[in-house]
Structures are given as structure tokens and as C-alpha cells.
Amino acid sequence: MVAVSTNLKLVKEFGLNPDNSFGFWDWVGGRFSVCSAVGILPLALQYGFAKVQEFLEGAWSVDCHFKTAPLEDNFPVLLGLISVWNVSFLRCPARAILPYSQALQKLAPHIQQLSMESNGKAVAMDGTPLNYHAGEIDFGEPGTNGQHSFYQLIHQGRLIPCDFIGVIKSQQAVNLQGELVSNHDELMCNFFAQPDALAYGKTRVEACKEGIPEELVPHKMFTGNRPSLSILLPTLDAYTAGQLLALYEHRIAVQGFVWGINSFDQWGVELGKSLATKVRQTMHNFRTKGESVCDYNYSTTFMLNRFLQGKEKLLHSATWLLVEGFSSLRTKCCTSIQLLGALMQVSRCATMHLCG
């Protein structure tokens, strides 16, 4: 048994040998800790440390670039400034992260936490309220999944800057007889086409030239002038994945530096957690002492009462089901194997009843 912790004292109190612990710095927020022991240990166990070393070297290459490259050629700085321009000057509320690779399906959710937990702030580091917009709503889906989900809004609705991420070398190309291009090339055709559609749109004149009925022309016009950027990776492997992660980490830090906020705290997540402690105690008191729900607003009081009363009915019903099941087991089961199978069946029935 090994541990990953910032607190070796607690590791020892838990009963583990501190010599079998991997430490990391207590000033590294969870969202920035992928390259620390808490991120690297499970990756190394899964893929082997040689592969993880490639990932770390990729991230380190961008770290060095960010530290040494002139500002005008510094990728994280340029991307950070673009985001500041989009948010604070163009007042764009969100950013879409659109990797054209299924292997990057979890990139957008990770960047969502990295960005929104870091830069979702309304006050500067000195405590004064910001008089400009900071932070953005991050979301995304890989490839054509997003195209058939939210691209409609991106093309003809709100102004949402997009990050398109493509790969030159496919991880698993398939060439079908009779098709003009491979499956990967088909995907990349969309990667190249979508930014052009956002940038240039379609005018009334162009729509009319296509013979579109007059009543449909307004619906098939695209304003264009919608911002996006494209990142083209030579291949998608451990090294370039590390580069991509570090690129976004530094970009988000640059945004925080320019906005004058602290990208490395997250006080906004604390209030709800502290209120949940109060709710937990209320639940316990209701079930053990019969105390009524009080000291909440009307809406929460109503919903909490409904939840607790409904849960009481479910628990009572499930308990009755288990008692009935066990009573029948005593008379029907003769061997331990029969008993085990019957217990599993009763447990499954009770679970289905609770869920259903």
C-alpha cells in the first residue's frame, strides 16, 4: 500500500508507512497537479514510467518555451492575450474547446475545471471589485459530436470563440474502397471547414446565388466574423499530450496575470461545501431525533422535507422487502451455495426497488 499526500503526519496516523509515500507540494492546486506525484503515479502504474516520462518531457518543453521565448513569439502568452481580448473587450461569455480526435474527449472537461476554477473571479488580488469581465465558460466535445450538438448556436447564435485542435497523423486510419479519403481525413475536412465558416459566413447574395427560396434566405445566412484559433499537432502521443496540457495551463495563468486576479485560489467552492455540512447534520437529526427542518429559506425547507419524507418511505419499503426475503430464505435454502445465490437475488431486488 502506498500513499500520495502533502501531509506525511496524517499518512502515518492513517496507518501507512511514510517511507511508502509520494509527497507533493501543498501549494499546488489539484487542477495544476497533473505533473506532480498525485497525477503521475497512477499514470505510471497504468502506462509504465517510460511513457509517462515522455508526457513530462512534452510538458517541460512548453514550460521552457513559456519561460524563455520573446513575448511576440510566446504561444501561451499570445493565446492568453487572445482570450483576454475575447472576454474583456469583445465580451464573449464562453470558449468552446473542439478537439477533432476522440482520444481527447476528456480534454474539454479538464480545461473547464482548470480555467473556470482558476479565473472565475470578480475581485482583484488586492480585494477591489473588477470593473471588467474576467473568466469564461469553457465547454466542448470532440469532432462531429459537437457539430450536431451546439455548433448551431456557435454559427448563428451567441458569439463564442472556438479552439479547434487537429492531428496530422491518425492513431488508427481506415481506408475504405470507393471512398475519396480515409476516415481520419474525413474528420479533418471538418476541422479545416468549420473555422472558415465561422470567419466568412454566408451573405444574402451568396445564398440567393445558390437558389435558396427567398423565405429561407434569412435562415441560411451566416454573419461570419466569429473568432476561432486552430492548433495542429503532428501526432497525438504522450509527448504532444504533455505539450497541449502545459500550453493551456500557462495560457490560463497568463489570463489571470493580465486580469490582476489570483488564478491559484478557489474560495468560490467553499461556501456551498460549508452549507452542505449544515444540511448533513439536519439529515442526521431528522432521522435519529425526529427534529424538524428549520433555519433554511422556504424553498430549501420545502425541498428538504420532501426529500427526507420520500427517503423514509423508500427505506421502510426496502427494509420490508429484505425482511420478507430473508424470512423465505430460512425455509427454502439448504446449502451455503443456495443461500449465497438467494442473498444476491434479494439484494438485487432491494437495489432495484430503491432505484426504481
Side-chain angles (χ1 to χ4, degrees):
M1 181 74 74
V2 298
V4 180
S5 177
T6 61
N7 193 323
L8 294 182
K9 180 176 179 290
L10 289 181
V11 168
K12 186 174 182 179
E13 290 177 1
F14 188 73
L16 299 179
N17 186 347
D19 293 338
N20 294 336
S21 299
F22 294 84
F24 65 104
W25 308 273
D26 59 6
W27 43 264
V28 177
R31 59 193 178 279
F32 286 103
S33 65
V34 173
C35 291
S36 74
V38 73
I40 293 302
L41 178 61
L43 288 175
L45 293 173
Q46 175 70 23
Y47 299 109
F49 195 78
K51 187 61 65 178
V52 171
Q53 185 66 37
E54 294 177 24
F55 174 79
L56 290 172
E57 288 171 356
W60 176 246
S61 72
V62 174
D63 292 345
C64 294
H65 167 81
F66 179 50
K67 183 178 180 180
T68 61
L71 293 181
E72 62 271 20
D73 297 321
N74 196 301
F75 287 170
V77 170
L78 294 174
L79 294 182
L81 291 175
I82 288 172
S83 289
V84 169
W85 175 258
N86 288 336
V87 173
S88 300
F89 292 86
L90 300 184
R91 299 197 172 187
C92 299
R95 170 177 59 191
I97 299 169
L98 310 169
Y100 276 71
S101 170
Q102 190 64 26
L104 291 173
Q105 62 179 314
K106 292 299 183 181
L107 176 67
H110 178 73
I111 302 305
Q112 184 181 72
Q113 181 196 5
L114 191 64
S115 171
M116 296 174 70
E117 195 169 47
S118 297
N119 292 338
K121 312 290 170 59
V123 297
M125 282 199 288
D126 62 4
T128 57
L130 300 178
N131 59 0
Y132 46 82
H133 291 283
E136 59 211 327
I137 302 165
D138 286 277
F139 68 99
E141 279 285 336
T144 52
N145 287 357
Q147 289 180 196
H148 294 280
S149 177
F150 48 76
Y151 275 41
Q152 169 62 45
L153 185 143
I154 290 174
H155 279 288
Q156 292 185 308
R158 302 288 294 276
L159 189 63
I160 298 178
C162 299
D163 291 0
F164 291 95
I165 302 170
V167 184
I168 295 175
K169 181 183 177 182
S170 171
Q171 289 184 321
Q172 194 174 8
V174 176
N175 292 277
L176 297 177
Q177 187 174 1
E179 295 290 340
L180 294 176
V181 294
S182 69
N183 66 327
H184 178 67
D185 287 349
E186 188 73 49
L187 191 66
M188 291 301 291
C189 288
N190 288 278
F191 169 83
F192 292 109
Q194 292 293 339
D196 277 359
L198 289 169
Y200 297 103
K202 181 185 289 187
T203 65
R204 171 176 283 277
V205 173
E206 291 171 328
C208 291
K209 281 184 178 180
E210 293 178 2
I212 295 173
E214 179 60 31
E215 66 273 14
L216 291 180
V217 167
H219 301 281
K220 294 196 173 185
M221 289 170 55
F222 297 78
T223 60
N225 197 29
R226 293 170 179 263
S228 69
L229 62 88
S230 297
I231 299 171
L232 186 60
L233 303 174
T235 186
L236 183 56
D237 54 21
Y239 186 85
T240 54
Q243 287 185 310
L244 192 60
L245 174 69
L247 179 64
Y248 273 95
E249 287 181 340
H250 292 307
R251 172 189 188 174
I252 288 162
V254 167
Q255 292 175 245
F257 297 153
V258 176
W259 281 323
I261 60 179
N262 186 353
S263 299
F264 305 100
D265 65 21
Q266 56 282 331
W267 299 113
V269 304
E270 299 299 325
L271 178 58
K273 288 165 63 177
S274 63
L275 292 177
T277 302
K278 176 185 174 183
V279 176
R280 186 184 302 114
Q281 190 61 50
T282 298
M283 288 184 176
H284 176 73
N285 292 344
F286 175 87
R287 289 170 179 153
T288 59
K289 303 176 184 178
E291 292 184 4
S292 60
V293 176
C294 59
D295 296 330
Y296 295 94
N297 64 68
Y298 176 82
S299 175
T300 302
T301 300
F302 179 85
M303 294 293 288
L304 190 50
N305 272 316
R306 178 60 64 90
F307 173 82
L308 291 169
Q309 292 163 8
K311 205 66 174 287
E312 284 287 302
K313 293 178 182 177
L314 284 173
L315 290 171
H316 174 76
S317 179
T319 301
W320 173 86
L321 179 63
L322 286 171
V323 170
E324 287 292 306
F326 289 136
S327 296
S328 64
L329 290 181
R330 294 194 190 97
T331 59
K332 294 180 181 178
C333 297
C334 301
T335 68
S336 58
I337 295 297
Q338 287 177 313
L339 178 61
L340 179 60
L343 283 171
M344 291 175 65
Q345 182 64 34
V346 170
S347 176
R348 189 179 302 114
C349 290
T351 302
M352 291 173 63
H353 188 80
L354 281 170
C355 295

